Amino acid sequence: MAVNTHSEPAKMEQIITEFFAKSLHIILESRCPFVSSRNYSGEQLHSTSSSASSSSSIRPRDKWFNLALRDCPAALENTDFWRQSNLEPMVVDVVLVQRPNWDYVSGSSKVAVEQNLLSKDRFPVVWKSDCDEFGCDGYSEKVIERWIVRYESKKGCKEGSLGNKRSSSITSHALYKKSILLLRSLYVTVRLLPGYKIFREISSSGQIRSFSLIHRVSSSVEPLSRRDEAEMQQFTFTPVDTSCGKLCISLLYLPSISDTTSESSTPMSPQFITDYVGSPLADPLKRLPSAPLPQYSPSSSPYGRRHSWSYDTSMASPPSSLPSPSPTYSESRALYSKFGSHRPPISPRYSSLEPAQVHAKDIGYDEYFPSPNFSPSPSPSPPIGSGNMLKVLLRSDSAPVYIPASRLGDAPLSSNKAVLPFSPPLKAIGPSISLVERSSSIPSTATKLSLREEEISRPSGVKISSSSSPHKSSFRSFSRLSFEDSYDDSEFSGPFVVDDDDTMDPGSRPGSSDRSGNLGMQHERVKSQDAAVGALVQMLKKAPPLQQDLNRSQYVSKTSRPEYSSNQVQDHPPRASSNMSSFSRVSGIKTTADALEELKGYVDVKQMLLKQSGKP
Amino acid sequence: MNCEVCQLKELDVEYFEIREVLRCILHTIFFHRALGLVRPKDVDLELFEITYVQCGDAELEKKVDEKIDQFIDRVEKHPNKKNQICLSFFEVKNKQATWFTHKVEHLYWEQWYINLNVAHHPKPHSGKSHHSKLVLDPGESALDERNARRATLESSLHEVLFQIIKFVNEKKDHIPPIPNMEGVSFPYEITISSSSDSAFGMDMFKRMLQTGHPTMLS
């Protein structure tokens, strides 16, 4: 033990100081994915070759409380303040940061890219999913855990006289032993909380996450909103008495993280996405009999990620430009893997919250699928996309709002150790894993704006930096490749395009206008002559590239298929119109007359098809 | 010295779950009782979404596994419903030979009782019962039932872990001074008892007679 050489009060004080440091270390070690060396590779878990035995050197820091921890720079740089014998409370907030939800679903990346190519600054919001949380508004933040480590001194006791009065009753050895016990409990508890699953999720796989964890270490308690606090559960460790006070650790935590996600400020919650990505994948066959819109989009392919395309392609892409920037793809994958594969096992544990979730989900569902037609369909993406798209477009007109900036103003952070969520990499910051990399290139808060632009100009790199995985490099290159592809509408050499070809039903391959044209005639379609379809496919394959198609397809679906918009997607008209406006703003390449011209062509084809299929 | 006793919540487990459940519980206890220098090792359960912590002490790990093997063996041979594992911590006192003949005395200061209710599939009576012991039923509902049961067990196990944490937190005064060995737990023993419901108390009583009631030792 490291407490031999000093007087009893000095020892006590040192123990208390080290206790703060160790507590912080324990908490951050399992909440700060960037520094984690947690070996999470299945096989090794039960073997002896874990970090426990591999790093056998014991540093002085490890000896404290007989608990050797892994390195955690974030913890080290934050403990200085409390090491200076300031017996102030230490408040550690663990914050879940989520990207705005509509980014996954909207499938609007194509549009987003175009908009940004033309006017980077006008629609910064659209870019959010593709840049990162840094400085972007719309990111939902949620405190999922609040740890408070504090030393409560008894009245009449001053720090300087620690242990003087009743040193006989509590020795430093007793204090030390109990501190060890408390820290062991802390160590175990940290791993049993829902937040640990998020940490694991982030740090264990190579997928790009739609969420990340950041932490703030401060010496003052920034009040949580009443709503947040009401949701949280409290856990208080039994305080350890010292001769002149007591050491306390208390915890507020969200008992269910998925509960959190339903709380996000945007109406679109990951909850919804769970449904959306997960269900087709969970049961691809189930969709076939019930899906009312098999031709609506490539969503007829049995993979969840198709759904992330569906909206995109149905409204924006001609057959030859199926590729869209990879972010959509990776987001949905990431989301799926989190909520699709991991959520079910989580939920039973916090089963008390399940009903609420289900309820929320239902509401969301109903909201977007009022049509009975739609309800059995596990492919809700198009309407979601549309609803969100609308929001995107609406919001894109307003100036970006920096949440962090407002926080700066609100937060009653009194100490120099106060950590601001998105502020740049001053040493006092407890940077989030994903922020760390980034922050090194960012000099100060003042440059936030320019940073944003910089990110916009090379989004893939920045975005990928949030991945702390071994697959990072491959992901990076992949993402960049596909991103570059997206600059060129007519090119589609992204790997996943080939993929699409493999699995896509030839009948649903044709471009958007075909798809929308087919929507209202599923029955006819079944009977329709292959030849006619083939001809249509041929024609569509020769169809001009995306931008023209955008207008066309929107127009078609809006004007010529009223039953579609009313039956299938209630909020379709607003979507179409908003899209129209944005497109005209964006492209402006084709005149309305041109569009109408082409539209007529398609309408004719459709009429022909209808006739043919109706007669035989 | 007091002997604190902690009866952990009974868990309904299936045969194949015993190992993980016991590992998780035993190591969690040990982590709180191996107060020497440890380098903790996180272990994710395979059957449940739970991460527990080991001390990173190979010797201890080995002993725990041995005991679990022993336990499983015994469950297999004597398929009793109720099974109990007791993890006891004691101090060794070299007693001077007085009127009592023992030379070495175990001063128990803490006992943890892990209670397992092991379901045995082949039992005919458990066919479609609503009991939590689950049966291999090839039907569709069996899968649901199985999942539900698994979820229940996971949450119960979670509860047990928090029970351990709470106990550790609340009871600190009875723990003897930390032995001067690195990473090694206080002296401990793991005893297994399984019996039918009726004989259970008797068994406990016998064991108490053998080891001496804790309170008599203080």
Side-chain angles (χ1 to χ4, degrees):
Chain A
M1 285 177 237
V3 274
N4 296 333
T5 55
H6 309 288
S7 69
E8 191 75 1
K11 280 188 207 170
M12 288 248 187
E13 199 164 330
Q14 199 184 358
I15 291 172
I16 295 167
T17 307
E18 292 296 335
F19 180 86
F20 273 80
K22 202 77 168 187
S23 306
L24 183 65
H25 196 162
I26 290 172
I27 295 166
L28 293 189
E29 185 207 42
S30 66
R31 290 296 183 270
C32 188
F34 185 72
V35 295
S36 165
S37 60
R38 191 189 134 81
N39 57 352
Y40 179 76
S41 53
E43 281 294 299
Q44 293 185 347
L45 284 176
H46 294 107
S47 74
T48 53
S49 68
S50 75
S51 60
S53 49
S54 59
S55 51
S56 54
S57 68
I58 289 167
R59 292 155 300 185
R61 195 177 64 234
D62 293 339
K63 287 188 180 169
W64 271 104
F65 306 102
N66 287 345
L67 193 59
L69 300 174
R70 293 169 204 120
D71 277 333
C72 184
L76 286 180
E77 67 194 26
N78 276 299
T79 49
D80 294 343
F81 177 71
W82 284 274
R83 280 189 191 283
Q84 288 156 19
S85 196
N86 284 304
L87 297 176
E88 293 198 39
M90 179 167 73
V91 182
V92 184
D93 280 355
V94 180
V95 184
L96 176 68
V97 181
Q98 286 179 297
R99 296 198 181 108
N101 307 302
W102 24 267
D103 289 312
Y104 322 123
V105 203
S106 66
S108 61
S109 8
K110 191 86 184 173
V111 182
V113 170
E114 287 167 2
Q115 285 177 339
N116 278 279
L117 286 179
L118 294 171
S119 55
K120 273 183 197 173
D121 298 327
R122 266 175 75 195
F123 305 104
V125 177
V126 185
W127 256 114
K128 268 186 305 194
S129 65
D130 300 332
C131 57
D132 69 319
E133 61 266 15
F134 206 83
C136 287
D137 61 314
Y139 278 83
S140 66
E141 270 191 35
K142 181 98 180 174
V143 176
I144 58 167
E145 284 172 14
R146 163 164 291 179
W147 301 86
I148 301 177
V149 183
R150 68 179 185 281
Y151 175 73
E152 285 179 3
S153 57
K154 286 177 195 147
K155 284 172 187 170
C157 268
K158 294 197 173 178
E159 275 83 5
S161 61
L162 264 180
N164 280 349
K165 291 178 181 171
R166 296 170 52 193
S167 55
S168 57
S169 63
I170 297 162
T171 64
S172 62
H173 279 285
L175 169 62
Y176 191 64
K177 188 178 75 185
K178 290 182 180 181
S179 307
I180 290 177
L181 288 166
L182 179 49
L183 290 172
R184 295 283 166 98
S185 298
L186 176 64
Y187 193 93
V188 171
T189 307
V190 158
R191 280 155 180 77
L192 290 175
L193 295 171
Y196 185 69
K197 283 178 202 49
I198 296 183
F199 160 75
R200 232 174 69 172
E201 198 66 39
I202 292 171
S203 55
S204 67
S205 89
Q207 284 173 338
I208 301 158
R209 299 294 169 189
S210 56
F211 49 89
S212 65
L213 287 176
I214 60 171
H215 59 268
R216 303 174 197 138
V217 186
S218 147
S219 67
S220 63
V221 181
E222 175 186 350
L224 297 168
S225 77
R226 195 177 299 169
R227 193 168 158 218
D228 284 352
E229 200 154 356
E231 291 171 354
M232 296 180 113
Q233 283 189 9
Q234 182 150 22
F235 187 87
T236 307
F237 294 88
T238 311
V240 171
D241 287 329
T242 71
S243 56
C244 206
K246 53 184 179 177
L247 276 171
C248 312
I249 301 181
S250 61
L251 158 72
L252 279 175
Y253 69 100
L254 274 182
S256 164
I257 300 296
S258 40
D259 196 47
T260 317
T261 55
S262 69
E263 285 297 317
S264 50
S265 51
T266 40
M268 279 305 306
S269 75
Q271 211 114 47
F272 204 99
I273 294 158
T274 311
D275 212 28
Y276 144 75
V277 184
S279 54
L281 223 168
D283 195 355
L285 293 177
K286 198 170 162 188
R287 185 180 39 71
L288 290 176
S290 59
L293 302 174
Q295 295 91 358
Y296 183 68
S297 75
S299 66
S300 49
S301 65
Y303 296 107
R305 68 183 180 95
R306 292 289 181 283
H307 292 258
S308 65
W309 296 102
S310 53
Y311 180 70
D312 188 21
T313 43
S314 66
M315 71 160 244
S317 305
S320 62
S321 41
L322 277 168
S324 76
S326 63
T328 313
Y329 163 73
S330 21
E331 299 289 358
S332 61
R333 289 289 290 231
L335 252 188
Y336 171 73
S337 95
K338 164 147 208 293
F339 293 104
S341 65
H342 287 270
R343 230 186 60 139
I346 297 177
S347 42
R349 188 176 308 156
Y350 311 98
S351 49
S352 59
L353 289 134
E354 275 304 288
Q357 291 172 22
V358 172
H359 184 59
K361 209 188 287 178
D362 287 345
I363 287 174
Y365 199 75
D366 289 345
E367 203 175 310
Y368 289 102
F369 313 110
S371 153
N373 262 357
F374 229 103
S375 50
S377 165
S379 127
S381 53
I384 303 172
S386 63
N388 279 319
M389 186 61 190
L390 177 58
K391 273 164 201 116
V392 174
L393 293 168
L394 289 177
R395 289 188 60 174
S396 66
D397 287 332
S398 60
V401 179
Y402 295 112
I403 288 179
S406 67
R407 272 189 176 275
L408 275 171
D410 304 337
L413 298 169
S414 62
S415 113
N416 59 336
K417 296 304 281 186
V419 174
L420 302 167
F422 291 113
S423 54
L426 309 170
K427 219 207 159 202
I429 290 176
S432 90
I433 4 63
S434 47
L435 293 184
V436 167
E437 243 180 272
R438 215 168 283 141
S439 55
S440 57
S441 64
I442 300 157
S444 82
T445 329
T447 60
K448 220 174 247 171
L449 243 179
S450 59
L451 164 77
R452 283 168 43 77
E453 287 174 355
E454 179 188 319
E455 281 166 351
I456 285 164
S457 64
R458 39 171 198 86
S460 48
V462 175
K463 174 179 176 171
I464 296 304
S465 69
S466 64
S467 151
S468 58
S469 78
H471 308 301
K472 188 183 196 164
S473 54
S474 65
F475 253 90
R476 189 189 298 267
S477 58
F478 172 72
S479 176
R480 188 171 294 141
L481 170 70
S482 50
F483 178 75
E484 280 160 3
D485 284 345
S486 65
Y487 277 97
D488 187 352
D489 288 333
S490 59
E491 288 283 321
F492 59 108
S493 53
F496 39 91
V497 176
V498 180
D499 225 17
D500 277 334
D501 284 339
D502 292 340
T503 45
M504 201 174 298
D505 169 20
S508 64
R509 280 279 345 242
S512 44
S513 57
D514 171 50
R515 224 162 281 135
S516 48
N518 279 326
L519 284 174
M521 51 173 212
Q522 297 159 45
H523 306 297
E524 293 90 336
R525 164 119 193 146
V526 177
K527 294 180 280 178
S528 75
Q529 296 170 4
D530 291 349
V533 177
L536 181 58
V537 169
Q538 272 308 110
M539 197 193 79
L540 287 169
K541 274 186 176 167
K542 289 175 200 155
L546 176 69
Q547 285 180 350
Q548 294 90 337
D549 244 19
L550 284 179
N551 284 331
R552 255 196 328 263
S553 67
Q554 287 307 312
Y555 209 78
V556 166
S557 58
K558 191 188 175 190
T559 56
S560 68
R561 305 249 46 115
E563 73 274 16
Y564 160 62
S565 53
S566 60
N567 284 346
Q568 311 290 354
V569 190
Q570 277 205 342
D571 55 357
H572 182 75
R575 175 194 79 174
S577 56
S578 62
N579 282 336
M580 286 292 282
S581 60
S582 65
F583 293 151
S584 54
R585 255 182 294 167
V586 170
S587 64
I589 292 168
K590 285 240 162 188
T591 66
T592 320
D594 289 338
L596 266 175
E597 202 63 30
E598 296 196 30
L599 168 69
K600 275 174 192 161
Y602 281 108
V603 169
D604 288 343
V605 172
K606 192 201 67 187
Q607 294 297 347
M608 187 187 73
L609 263 179
L610 276 172
K611 275 182 197 163
Q612 284 177 340
S613 55
K615 277 177 184 173
Chain B
M1 185 182 291
N2 284 332
C3 179
E4 298 285 353
V5 177
C6 184
Q7 283 280 353
L8 294 173
K9 188 184 177 232
E10 186 176 80
L11 296 173
D12 294 316
V13 298
E14 282 191 66
Y15 183 74
F16 68 97
E17 292 162 335
I18 294 175
R19 186 176 301 275
E20 278 219 316
V21 167
L22 281 183
R23 264 191 192 148
C24 174
I25 295 173
L26 285 173
H27 279 291
T28 301
I29 297 172
F30 273 118
F31 184 67
H32 287 99
R33 290 297 175 252
L35 299 184
L37 177 55
V38 297
R39 194 174 288 278
K41 184 173 138 190
D42 300 345
V43 180
D44 299 327
L45 292 184
E46 284 171 1
L47 299 173
F48 311 98
E49 208 175 322
I50 288 179
T51 302
Y52 70 92
V53 185
Q54 290 188 355
C55 300
D57 184 276
E59 190 65 24
L60 180 63
E61 206 176 328
K62 198 177 132 202
K63 280 188 179 161
V64 167
D65 278 350
E66 277 172 15
K67 276 292 171 186
I68 293 175
D69 284 340
Q70 212 175 311
F71 178 83
I72 291 176
D73 242 32
R74 182 164 173 159
V75 168
E76 202 166 22
K77 284 175 189 153
H78 310 281
N80 289 304
K81 206 175 117 194
K82 304 262 182 196
N83 296 275
Q84 196 175 51
I85 283 194
C86 177
L87 169 57
S88 311
F89 294 96
F90 55 84
E91 277 188 291
V92 180
K93 283 274 156 75
N94 285 318
K95 215 179 175 187
Q96 291 136 5
T98 53
W99 57 275
F100 213 60
T101 49
H102 285 117
K103 284 222 166 151
V104 175
E105 195 182 24
H106 287 185
L107 295 179
Y108 290 87
W109 51 269
E110 190 170 79
Q111 289 181 317
W112 300 83
Y113 288 99
I114 304 165
N115 298 295
L116 295 186
N117 204 350
V118 181
H120 291 275
H121 310 314
K123 292 267 175 80
H125 67 266
S126 51
K128 276 272 183 181
S129 72
H130 287 66
H131 293 330
S132 47
K133 47 184 159 50
L134 183 97
V135 203
L136 283 177
D137 189 328
E140 268 183 33
S141 60
L143 194 67
D144 290 345
E145 202 183 327
R146 178 169 289 256
N147 287 337
R149 201 201 57 85
R150 178 72 58 83
T152 310
L153 177 55
E154 180 174 310
S155 95
S156 300
L157 183 55
H158 206 252
E159 269 178 56
V160 165
L161 296 180
F162 269 102
Q163 201 186 344
I164 295 171
I165 290 170
K166 277 181 184 143
F167 183 90
V168 165
N169 254 274
E170 283 161 14
K171 318 263 175 155
K172 292 189 184 120
D173 290 325
H174 65 292
I175 299 173
I178 299 168
N180 239 350
M181 295 168 285
E182 279 193 359
V184 178
S185 160
F186 289 107
Y188 66 90
E189 69 180 19
I190 300 174
T191 52
I192 299 166
S193 65
S194 63
S195 58
S196 60
D197 284 334
S198 56
F200 192 65
M202 200 55 190
D203 193 76
M204 287 255 293
F205 186 62
K206 267 196 293 192
R207 231 172 42 74
M208 251 160 40
L209 287 180
Q210 282 159 8
T211 58
H213 192 274
T215 51
M216 291 165 21
L217 301 170
S218 54

